[in-house]
Each structure stands twice: as structure tokens, then as C-alpha cells.
Amino acid sequence: MEYLMLFISAIFINNIVLVQYLGTCPFMGTSKSTDVAIGMGAAVIFVMLMAVAFTWPLQHYVLTPYGIGYLQTIVFILVIASLVQFVELFLKKVIPPLHASLGLFLPLITTNCAVMGVAIMVQRGEYPFFKALLFSLATGLGFLIALVIISSIRERLDISPVPAVFRGIPVALITAGVMSLVFLAFQGMAA
């Protein structure tokens, strides 16, 4: 039951983008098309899972035992950057259209604070390894769900009669704010 609550909480109650406001750059940048949003969400899920899978053992078997925990940020950034390079090369070889549509936003996963935030939250929460992987998967799914929802809304808004001053990013920010309020309503359900 504890794992189920953690899973649901990471997706809805403590959504990484809409409640904790981490990872808003790719959230706003890749949400113009649902296809691109799904690709970006999948890439972020993969990078989050792999980042936690690599950073958890590094923290528990290298940084903490040797008293070099102050290097956590640098080590985690290097791990995440390496993983993003791997994902970029994989997408370039296997799915070139997705690689082209993600464009600049794919390398920006390296600096996506949601990925780094999850790696650090796992360490602060002192989760065991499998619980940490579940948390990172659920957080990535929450990111994907939020991204798909806003991209669907933005696609609809592109063909709707929106006043000129609100077109583009302004209406996207308003939409994201309303979505944040909706996801904040889930916090009342966590008893």
C-alpha cells in the first residue's frame, strides 16, 4: 500500500511540474505538439529512471562512505549529462524525426531541474533502491501526463479564436496556472 501511495502521490498530488514547479522549460517549450510532448515525456522518464539507477548507488556506496557528499551536485550533473547524450545518440539513430522535432530541447534535459530534483529527492527521502526507482518512474509519468494535457490544450487553442495579445506563450502560461490549481486540488485527497 505504501508503494501505491507513493506512486499516486508522485503522479498527481506532488506533480513535479504543476505542483513543485520543476522542469517548466521543457514543459512550455515542447508542449506545442502532442507527438513531440509524448516523445519528450518518454525521454524524460528514461533519463529520470536511469539517473536514479546510477546516482543512488553512487551516493550510497561512494559519496557517503568516503565522506565526499559535498560532490553530490557535480557527480549527479555528470551522470545526467552522460545519460542525455546517450538518449540523444539513440534517438538520432533510431527515431530521426523525433530527434529533429525535439531539437534544442533534448540537450536541455541535461539542465532540466526535474531530473536533478528527482535524483536529490530520492537521496533526501532516503528511499531504498526499488522505492527510488518507483518514485522516479511515477514522477516521470506525472511529467508526461502534464505535458500531454497542456499540449492537447495548446493544439486546441491554436485553432480557437484567442485574442491576439494572449496568443502563444501568454495563453500557455495561463493554462499552466489553471492546470496547477487543478493538480493542487489533489492535495486535499491525501489523508
Side-chain angles (χ1 to χ4, degrees):
M1 190 64 165
E2 176 186 350
Y3 285 87
L4 179 64
M5 288 302 295
L6 177 73
F7 191 77
I8 292 171
S9 173
I11 293 174
F12 297 109
I13 299 167
N14 293 314
N15 186 284
I16 195 84
V17 179
L18 299 173
V19 176
Q20 297 182 23
Y21 307 112
L22 295 174
T24 55
C25 177
F27 177 71
M28 295 307 293
T30 61
S31 63
K32 294 177 186 171
S33 163
T34 304
D35 295 336
V36 174
I38 290 170
M40 179 59 137
V44 167
I45 289 172
F46 178 77
V47 171
M48 275 187 187
L49 269 170
M50 297 309 294
V52 169
F54 283 97
T55 58
W56 191 93
L58 280 172
Q59 180 72 38
H60 288 272
Y61 298 120
V62 178
L63 299 177
T64 302
Y66 291 107
I68 53 174
Y70 56 88
L71 293 175
Q72 180 187 55
T73 303
I74 294 169
V75 170
F76 285 14
I77 287 172
L78 290 173
V79 168
I80 292 167
S82 301
L83 290 169
V84 169
Q85 289 300 313
F86 171 74
V87 169
E88 186 172 14
L89 290 173
F90 176 79
L91 288 178
K92 192 173 187 177
K93 288 279 187 194
V94 178
I95 314 171
L98 179 59
H99 179 267
S101 64
L102 288 174
L104 176 65
F105 292 102
L106 188 57
L108 286 179
I109 295 176
T110 303
T111 58
N112 185 347
C113 55
V115 176
M116 181 68 147
V118 168
I120 291 173
M121 281 186 245
V122 162
Q123 303 308 322
R124 288 201 180 145
E126 297 180 358
Y127 296 145
F129 185 70
F130 292 110
K131 193 173 184 180
L133 288 177
L134 179 71
F135 177 75
S136 66
L137 173 66
T139 303
L141 285 172
F143 182 84
L144 173 67
I145 288 169
L147 201 55
V148 168
I149 290 171
I150 196 165
S151 67
S152 300
I153 293 170
R154 286 184 74 180
E155 282 181 350
R156 175 70 187 222
L157 287 171
D158 283 345
I159 60 172
S160 298
V162 176
V165 294
F166 289 117
R167 285 197 185 122
I169 294 295
V171 76
L173 289 171
I174 292 168
T175 304
V178 172
M179 285 177 59
S180 292
L181 290 173
V182 170
F183 273 73
L184 280 171
F186 286 121
Q187 287 187 348
M189 299 174 76

